[in-house]
Amino acid sequence: MSRRSGILEFAVLGLLRESPMHGYELRKRLNTSLGVFRAFSYGTLYPCLKTLVANGWLIEEPGNTPEDALAAPLAGRRAKIVYRLTAEGKEHFEDLLSQTGPDAYEDEHFAARFAFFGQTSRDVRMRVLEGRRSRLEERLEKMRASLARTRERLDDYTLELQRHGMESVEREVRWLNELIESERAGRDLKGSASGGSAQQNTNGAPGVLPRPGDTPGTDTPGDTTT
C-alpha cells in the first residue's frame, strides 16, 4: 500500500465512523472537511472503498432515501450504495489512531491525523504534535544551513523565496507550541478545561485543521486523480 492510499483509507474509515455515507457524500467531506484531499477523483475513492469492503472493514448497503428508492427503476440508473463501518473496521481505525510513528509527522498524513484529533486520546495527540514539531525543527535547521551556504549565489527573488519558506515553517512551529501547551494544560482548542477530545466543528473536524497550501510549512499535495 502506498503512503497516499494509506492516508485515504484512514480518512475514509474516520469519516464513516461518524455515520454511513454514499460515495458522493464521502468525496464531498474529504474535499471540504479534510483539505488534504481537495484534488482527488472518484477514480481514486472507489478502488479504496472496494479494498476496505474486501478487508471486511466496510459493508455496502442499498440507500434508503426516497431518491434512492426511485433510482433503480429509472433507465440507466442504479440505487446509490451506502458504505457502513463494521465492528472490525472500527477496531482497525482505532488501532490506526493509536499509532504515533514517523509517518504521522509527515505533511499530508499529519493533516489527516489532525482532522481526527477529536477522536484521539490526549497522550497520542501529544506524541503526534511533539513528533511533528521535532520534524519541522529539523527541517528548519537544514533550511537555515542551506541558506547560509548559498546566500551569496542566490538572486534577490530566490533569496526571498527561501526566506518565505523558512518563515512559514517557523510559524507552524509556533502554532504547534501553542497546541502542545494547551494539551499539557488539559485545555481543548477553545481554551476550556477538558479531559476528553479536542473541540470539533459541525463537520467533525477540528476548527483549526491544517490545510495543505494554507498551513505554514505544509506542502500542497499533488493531484491524485487517476
Side-chain angles (χ1 to χ4, degrees), residues 110-173:
F110 174 74
R113 287 296 303 270
F114 192 90
F116 295 100
F117 264 22
Q119 303 180 39
T120 306
S121 64
R122 188 179 299 280
D123 62 322
V124 171
R125 293 200 302 263
M126 280 291 294
R127 288 198 293 272
V128 173
L129 290 171
E130 289 174 341
R132 174 67 174 174
R133 180 177 63 182
S134 177
R135 180 63 52 84
L136 290 182
E137 287 174 341
E138 292 174 4
R139 184 184 300 177
L140 190 58
E141 184 177 349
K142 291 178 181 178
M143 293 173 73
R144 287 170 174 160
S146 175
L147 184 60
R149 289 194 305 269
T150 61
R151 182 186 299 271
E152 299 302 324
R153 302 195 298 271
L154 300 177
D155 62 49
D156 290 343
Y157 292 100
T158 304
L159 183 61
E160 189 61 29
L161 183 62
Q162 295 282 343
R163 287 172 175 163
H164 174 70
M166 288 176 53
E167 290 171 358
S168 296
V169 177
E170 289 169 345
R171 284 196 297 272
E172 185 172 350
V173 169

Side-chain angles (χ1 to χ4, degrees), residues 1 6-11 13-14 52 57 89-101 104 109 113 120 124 128:
M1 181 192 303
I7 299 171
L8 179 57
E9 289 187 5
F10 171 83
L13 292 172
L52 295 176
W57 297 330
K90 181 179 179 181
E91 183 178 348
H92 178 62
F93 178 69
E94 289 173 349
D95 179 63
L96 293 176
L97 277 181
S98 69
Q99 296 179 11
T100 58
H109 207 155
R113 287 296 303 270
T120 306
V124 171
V128 173

Side-chain angles (χ1 to χ4, degrees), residues 1-217:
M1 181 192 303
S2 70
R3 176 179 296 177
R4 182 76 178 179
S5 62
I7 299 171
L8 179 57
E9 289 187 5
F10 171 83
V12 167
L13 292 172
L15 289 175
L16 291 177
R17 189 187 187 191
E18 299 172 9
S19 65
M21 298 183 200
H22 297 130
Y24 173 80
E25 198 176 357
L26 262 173
R27 183 174 185 246
K28 182 177 179 181
R29 288 291 306 277
L30 288 164
N31 283 334
T32 57
S33 300
L34 313 183
V36 66
F37 295 105
R38 281 175 293 187
F40 83 101
S41 69
Y42 284 111
T44 303
L45 175 60
Y46 281 102
C48 171
L49 290 170
K50 294 299 183 184
T51 297
L52 295 176
V53 170
N55 288 340
W57 297 330
L58 301 182
I59 57 174
E60 297 176 328
E61 301 176 338
N64 55 10
T65 66
E67 292 80 5
D68 295 333
L70 292 173
L74 297 177
R77 294 191 61 186
R78 295 181 300 173
K80 291 181 180 178
I81 298 298
V82 172
Y83 295 90
R84 182 184 299 275
L85 196 66
T86 64
E88 292 80 5
K90 181 179 179 181
E91 183 178 348
H92 178 62
F93 178 69
E94 289 173 349
D95 179 63
L96 293 176
L97 277 181
S98 69
Q99 296 179 11
T100 58
D103 280 352
Y105 316 148
E106 299 299 334
D107 293 341
E108 291 180 358
H109 207 155
F110 174 74
R113 287 296 303 270
F114 192 90
F116 295 100
F117 264 22
Q119 303 180 39
T120 306
S121 64
R122 188 179 299 280
D123 62 322
V124 171
R125 293 200 302 263
M126 280 291 294
R127 288 198 293 272
V128 173
L129 290 171
E130 289 174 341
R132 174 67 174 174
R133 180 177 63 182
S134 177
R135 180 63 52 84
L136 290 182
E137 287 174 341
E138 292 174 4
R139 184 184 300 177
L140 190 58
E141 184 177 349
K142 291 178 181 178
M143 293 173 73
R144 287 170 174 160
S146 175
L147 184 60
R149 289 194 305 269
T150 61
R151 182 186 299 271
E152 299 302 324
R153 302 195 298 271
L154 300 177
D155 62 49
D156 290 343
Y157 292 100
T158 304
L159 183 61
E160 189 61 29
L161 183 62
Q162 295 282 343
R163 287 172 175 163
H164 174 70
M166 288 176 53
E167 290 171 358
S168 296
V169 177
E170 289 169 345
R171 284 196 297 272
E172 185 172 350
V173 169
R174 290 195 295 270
W175 174 71
L176 289 167
N177 285 336
E178 293 172 359
L179 289 175
I180 290 169
E181 181 181 352
S182 293
E183 293 288 347
R184 286 176 176 163
R187 299 192 300 268
D188 65 17
L189 293 184
K190 290 188 176 180
S192 60
S194 172
S197 48
Q199 182 67 33
Q200 293 179 294
N201 63 23
T202 56
N203 286 329
V208 292
L209 168 64
R211 298 173 66 91
D214 302 330
T215 299

